Amino acid sequence: GGYGDVTLALPWLEDAADQATLFGDRRFAARKDQEAFVRAWLAANAPDADARSLKFAWYPARYAAGLGSILNLDDITSHIDSTKDDVVILEEPEHLNWYRNGPRWTSRFRHVVGVAHTNYEAYTMVDSGGKVNFDVVAERVFTETVTRAHCDVVVQLSRTLRPLPHSRVCNVHGVRKAFLDVGAAGGPRAFSERPGDARCYFLGKAMWAKGYDQLLVFLGGEDQKGPSVVPDALDDHAARSAPLIDCYGGGPELADISNKSAVLGCGLRFRGPADHADASVFGAYDVFVNPSISEVLCTATAEALAMGKRVVIARHPSNEFFYDFPTCLPFKTKREFAEAYAYALRHEPPPLSARQRRRLSWAAATERFCDAALARAPKKLRFHQKLACFLHVHLGKGSRGDVIRSVAGAGLTVGRQSRYVRQRQGGGPEVCVVGAENTILVEKTSGEAPADEAADATPPSSSEEEDEGDIVSV
């Protein structure tokens, strides 16, 4: 068992205030402390995954409050052992490379696989009021540029995303064994209801973009298409004043959502954050309702299916993977929502077969990932593509790159990466090498001066003799 030669690269938040913002009362004085926490979490929450052989690497990062994101402070590849050069998996390659100052990943690794699972365009559209403004166009251009420049293959979890260069669509996410165990034990029938709980629940961040606007329309509000539709089945199960759906999760718009729900009489009750794997909280719920269409693929829906629940979800490309499951009830209109909601309340969910449960597991997801990531993309780029890649890398160098990143949204702390590197090196001169493909490589090892290296050296062919191979996941 074990992971073989696999390294997991994680961001290290150097600033105590950033840790307080994201981790609350938990603090990590050193990287080894956070590594110990991650290993303990894996042992407690994923006991079937033998992570003892898993290696860790850390790269310095800061939390950019304006973007709501953790961003790296220098070239991530400089923190990865130079002997690890076989395969790298970039979780959210666009996010990792928008403001990154460094060479093309394809010049450092033999095979680069990106996994795109966040709909940044949808979030940008929400911020722009639904209009295609400069920010939306800029997000599209930069995302396509960096994924083309840095990835051999991009795996998109669903058709929700605009097709990216070298991409293929495949759900490569799975759910933990804890959720599958609930379903295997008999699902909701195997758990006792808690007094006062509704039969249906929704779990997600308290943001309008997560589908709360549609939920209010369906259950209590009105829109331009007519009045809301309350399922007739409710009279059979509870008084109209009782909560219809328990909502779990926190977020910046919780107060606004709660207030509007109360005014419209939607029957939503907000229970705060909770761990979806806690069967004592979620085990007895019959129905999971999720009207959101902003995700690329909703992990909470997969977890609810694994626990043997009915899921009432929007008919949308992000949910196509779930349609084949017998407990899935997709809807498109308010009337279809009402019918699916009523059916879910009237009928107990049938148990999933062993084969259906395995489709939701990480073992099956890993097999799908290996198949999707296998093929290499063509290396030859057109002139305008080469130019875009060159500009992204070249304009990120030195003080010029610091200015561009800062005004492009990264802010001064994250944007001044070249200055950060020079300060860490004791104020020495900036070291950069322009390689054969006009890319830059800045490398350093702990306690030593940076080592110059041509960036886009030709990688060894697959026919050359090599060891078992190593994998780096960022």
Side-chain angles (χ1 to χ4, degrees):
Y3 284 84
D5 197 359
V6 177
T7 301
L8 177 63
L10 297 174
W12 167 251
L13 293 176
E14 297 185 327
D15 189 73
D18 288 347
Q19 290 197 24
T21 299
L22 295 179
F23 305 151
D25 295 333
R26 182 175 289 112
R27 301 286 193 282
F28 301 107
R31 293 168 175 81
K32 63 179 182 180
D33 299 328
Q34 189 165 357
E35 177 178 334
F37 172 82
V38 174
R39 290 189 183 278
W41 187 95
L42 288 171
N45 295 278
D48 53 319
D50 183 3
R52 290 173 297 178
S53 62
L54 182 65
K55 302 177 181 66
F56 285 81
W58 301 88
Y59 58 89
R62 287 293 305 270
Y63 176 65
L67 298 174
S69 299
I70 296 175
L71 299 174
N72 51 289
L73 290 174
D74 62 2
D75 175 23
I76 300 175
T77 64
S78 66
H79 300 279
I80 300 173
D81 187 339
S82 60
T83 65
K84 311 296 184 184
D85 61 358
D86 283 331
V87 179
V88 65
I89 302 166
L90 304 180
E91 291 280 344
E92 300 195 358
E94 66 280 69
H95 184 155
L96 288 170
N97 289 293
W98 280 328
Y99 299 114
R100 176 174 163 266
N101 176 20
R104 291 177 64 184
W105 287 90
T106 50
S107 70
R108 173 68 168 76
F109 292 88
R110 292 172 174 154
H111 193 53
V112 182
V113 183
V115 181
H117 50 75
T118 299
N119 196 349
Y120 290 108
E121 182 174 334
Y123 291 129
T124 308
M125 288 284 286
V126 170
D127 292 339
S128 67
K131 299 178 181 178
V132 181
N133 60 10
F134 175 81
D135 290 341
V136 175
V137 174
E139 187 277 331
R140 291 176 181 174
V141 171
F142 275 99
T143 293
E144 178 170 339
T145 297
V146 298
T147 52
R148 187 183 300 278
H150 296 288
C151 296
D152 292 313
V153 178
V154 177
V155 181
Q156 301 182 188
L157 298 189
S158 73
R159 293 190 304 108
T160 303
L161 293 174
R162 181 181 299 275
L164 295 171
H166 316 150
S167 67
R168 59 218 52 203
V169 175
C170 182
N171 173 22
V172 296
H173 274 199
V175 303
R176 284 183 277 148
K177 184 174 180 292
F179 298 102
L180 295 167
D181 288 344
V182 172
R189 293 181 298 276
F191 295 86
S192 300
E193 294 184 23
R194 297 186 305 170
D197 277 359
R199 294 183 58 199
C200 308
Y201 74 103
F202 172 55
L203 181 141
K205 195 169 184 179
M207 297 173 59
W208 289 112
K210 293 297 184 180
Y212 275 103
D213 52 350
Q214 287 297 305
L215 203 55
L216 296 193
V217 169
F218 292 156
L219 292 177
E222 297 189 6
D223 65 1
Q224 67 274 17
K225 297 180 181 179
S228 65
V229 182
V230 178
D232 297 334
L234 290 178
D235 286 332
D236 301 332
H237 296 282
R240 297 267 177 167
S241 60
L244 308 182
I245 300 177
D246 288 337
C247 300
Y248 291 87
E253 296 169 337
L254 176 59
D256 188 29
I257 295 171
S258 178
N259 291 337
K260 289 186 178 179
S261 171
V263 169
L264 295 173
C266 294
L268 301 184
R269 179 171 55 184
F270 297 89
R271 309 292 293 268
D275 184 357
H276 203 191
D278 188 347
S280 67
V281 176
F282 296 102
Y285 283 105
D286 295 305
V287 184
F288 175 74
V289 176
N290 184 11
S292 176
I293 56 174
S294 63
E295 283 88 7
V296 179
L297 186 137
C298 183
T299 304
T301 299
E303 293 168 349
L305 281 171
M307 289 192 287
K309 304 181 187 304
R310 294 271 188 194
V311 296
V312 179
I313 56 177
R315 190 176 293 278
H316 185 263
S318 61
N319 291 322
E320 287 176 341
F321 179 81
F322 307 125
Y323 292 168
D324 293 338
F325 290 88
T327 50
C328 176
L329 299 171
F331 65 87
K332 188 70 174 179
T333 65
K334 289 191 297 183
R335 175 59 62 182
E336 289 179 358
F337 170 83
E339 293 171 352
Y341 188 91
Y343 183 90
L345 288 175
R346 291 183 178 131
H347 299 84
E348 287 190 351
L352 298 182
S353 67
R355 182 178 181 181
Q356 290 166 337
R357 289 198 302 272
R358 192 182 186 282
R359 280 190 66 202
L360 298 168
S361 70
W362 273 110
T366 302
E367 293 170 0
R368 294 193 297 267
F369 172 80
C370 291
D371 290 339
L374 204 58
R376 296 185 67 91
K379 291 288 186 180
K380 190 172 182 180
L381 303 179
R382 296 181 180 179
F383 173 77
H384 72 281
Q385 296 168 343
K386 290 182 179 179
L387 179 62
C389 297
F390 166 76
L391 291 175
H392 177 257
V393 175
H394 182 73
L395 294 179
K397 296 191 298 183
S399 299
R400 174 184 59 237
D402 288 355
V403 172
I404 293 174
R405 278 186 293 273
S406 298
V407 300
L412 292 177
T413 302
V414 174
R416 295 185 291 189
Q417 295 184 19
S418 297
R419 178 182 178 184
Y420 173 84
V421 171
R422 292 196 298 272
Q423 290 177 339
R424 292 295 296 268
Q425 295 170 354
E430 183 177 353
V431 180
C432 61
V433 177
V434 179
E437 295 289 331
N438 294 314
T439 57
I440 312 158
L441 177 62
V442 179
E443 284 198 351
K444 60 185 176 63
T445 55
S446 180
E448 298 178 1
D452 292 359
E453 183 179 336
D456 274 18
T458 303
S461 66
S462 58
S463 61
E464 294 184 32
E465 183 178 351
E466 56 185 52
D467 57 16
E468 294 181 358
D470 41 68
I471 299 176
V472 178
S473 179
V474 181

